[in-house]
Amino acid sequence: MEHKHIPGLVDVIKVDQPAGILQIARDGTLDRAFGSGKPLLNRLLLRRILGVLSYKSRRFPTMSARKATGRETQQDALWQKLNAAAPDVRAGPADLEPLAMWVRGSNSDAAVGPLVQQVIGRLFSPTFEAGEATWAAAEVVAASIAPGNTLRNLAWRLTGKVTRAKGLLAPMVGGDLAGVHAVSVAIHNVVKGLNQMRGLYRDASVRQTLTPEMVSRRCLFAPGVVLRQATSSGTVGGCPYSAGTLLLLELERARQTSGDESMIFLADTWSRCPAEQWVPAMLEGVWRRATSAHGE
Ligand code: HEM
């Protein structure tokens, strides 16, 4: 836990322990309402992130307050839909063949990003076609929320590059902001998982010992950071905060240092990822398909 607090300038707590993260994730006074952005650096950080993670003045679901109109219903509807699709994707259907080939290294010219984007995009629109431009758009969105590169981000904002990136992707997923989030932000965690899977596949002894379930678990990575803001004062892990304090939940660091897998999708909390069952099933499916081609 690290509290950066300089009155009038910054008030941010970074939390990287599962116990603190779960306490915050379950506390109704720590939300994603993102109201007053005081002090100055909090305001600048929030303005930048909300600017990227909104489209046409609507916030992405990952930046929406718990009680924002329709958020919970849409989260639940997507969860149901993805859970219903999980058994099929777990079996390794033909749609996963390009990814299975990539894992096997048999289409080494292909870039994995667009292959993953195609599979995720199709969850939102049956006509979604990923390519260089859609993948470049996903990289622009992700790079603009990563820390650092202030000047480049400013230039991208001024030239409208980030807005154009979202403008390309949004109509392709029927304007659904959960879809824009999936194909531009969440996708990078899935790509990380596929890179890990390719490494596991390369080692023949590992390949023969691991079950698809084991591989899937080894290929799951949590988001680097999710955000909350205090709506009243309190304490976390002995660290006091006041209304307006920003809390940065460092999920991947917490998972790595503790091995606590509940960090990956925050599945037991109100903000649980609607893809918490689908993503592991998809990873299993890719592995099944990649290995069955060799009769393994
Ligand atoms: C490895 C891949 C993924 C991981 C680790 C992941 C993890 C997470 C986590 C931790 C949250 C909670 C954010 C918060 O508490 O503020 C979240 C939210 C969300 N995720 Fe995922 N996610 C992944 C992939 C996906 C995919 C593929 C989709 C869509 C198909 C998706 C859709 C969403 C949505 C819509 C939310 C917002 C839920 C809400 O609060 O209303 N995620 N995800």
Side-chain angles (χ1 to χ4, degrees):
M1 185 111 35
E2 180 193 333
H3 193 175
K4 272 194 200 154
H5 189 197
I6 305 173
L9 191 62
V10 63
D11 186 9
V12 172
I13 300 181
K14 286 184 183 175
V15 191
D16 61 4
Q17 296 297 319
I21 287 174
L22 289 175
Q23 180 196 326
I24 292 165
R26 290 178 177 141
D27 186 328
T29 68
L30 298 163
D31 201 352
R32 300 186 302 209
F34 303 125
S36 85
K38 286 183 188 163
L40 179 69
L41 292 183
N42 286 32
R43 181 158 62 245
L44 293 179
L45 177 70
L46 271 183
R47 194 193 292 166
R48 178 168 70 85
I49 295 186
L50 282 172
V52 179
L53 301 181
S54 348
Y55 183 64
K56 295 194 172 167
S57 306
R58 286 187 299 138
R59 290 185 190 177
F60 286 15
T62 47
M63 294 303 281
S64 298
R66 180 177 189 171
K67 299 287 177 206
T69 313
R71 185 205 63 80
E72 195 177 348
T73 323
Q74 284 156 20
Q75 176 190 32
D76 200 47
L78 183 56
W79 186 73
Q80 305 275 2
K81 174 179 144 173
L82 295 180
N83 289 356
D88 182 45
V89 80
R90 183 176 288 117
D95 298 354
L96 295 184
E97 184 56 21
L99 274 174
M101 280 172 70
W102 184 84
V103 166
R104 291 196 297 266
S106 42
N107 58 352
S108 45
D109 287 348
V112 67
L115 299 181
V116 178
Q117 203 177 33
Q118 173 82 18
V119 172
I120 295 181
R122 290 272 161 124
L123 294 169
F124 295 90
S125 164
T127 56
F128 190 98
E129 283 296 339
E132 264 175 47
T134 56
W135 177 244
E139 291 192 305
V140 166
V141 173
S144 337
I145 47 171
N149 257 314
T150 315
L151 283 180
R152 185 208 57 196
N153 288 340
L154 185 66
W156 281 3
R157 223 183 39 232
L158 293 176
T159 58
K161 196 173 168 102
V162 184
T163 309
R164 277 198 305 280
K166 291 179 284 184
L168 173 70
L169 297 172
M172 295 179 69
V173 291
D176 183 341
L177 295 188
V180 182
H181 158 76
V183 298
S184 66
V185 181
I187 188 171
H188 300 283
N189 287 314
V190 184
V191 167
K192 214 168 153 185
L194 266 306
N195 275 303
Q196 169 92 341
M197 190 182 287
R198 200 184 206 195
L200 295 174
Y201 186 91
R202 266 197 212 111
D203 185 330
S205 61
V206 171
R207 193 192 314 156
Q208 278 146 16
T209 10
L210 297 181
T211 63
E213 294 78 7
M214 287 155 90
V215 170
S216 170
R217 284 178 69 180
R218 287 195 191 193
C219 296
L220 286 172
F221 296 91
V225 175
V226 300
L227 272 185
R228 295 290 185 273
Q229 189 176 36
T231 55
S232 59
S233 54
T235 51
V236 58
C239 183
Y241 56 79
S242 43
T245 303
L246 278 179
L247 296 109
L248 273 50
L249 314 188
E250 300 187 321
L251 301 183
E252 177 57 10
R253 184 181 297 224
R255 182 194 73 88
Q256 275 183 18
T257 50
S258 68
D260 185 334
E261 292 182 0
S262 71
M263 296 293 104
I264 300 171
F265 297 109
L266 289 180
D268 297 329
T269 73
W270 64 266
S271 72
R272 77 161 168 214
C273 177
E276 48 124 3
Q277 295 180 28
W278 184 86
V279 170
M282 189 272 249
L283 293 169
E284 272 182 48
V286 173
W287 183 259
R288 251 189 204 105
R289 197 155 181 111
T291 50
S292 65
H294 291 267
E296 286 154 322

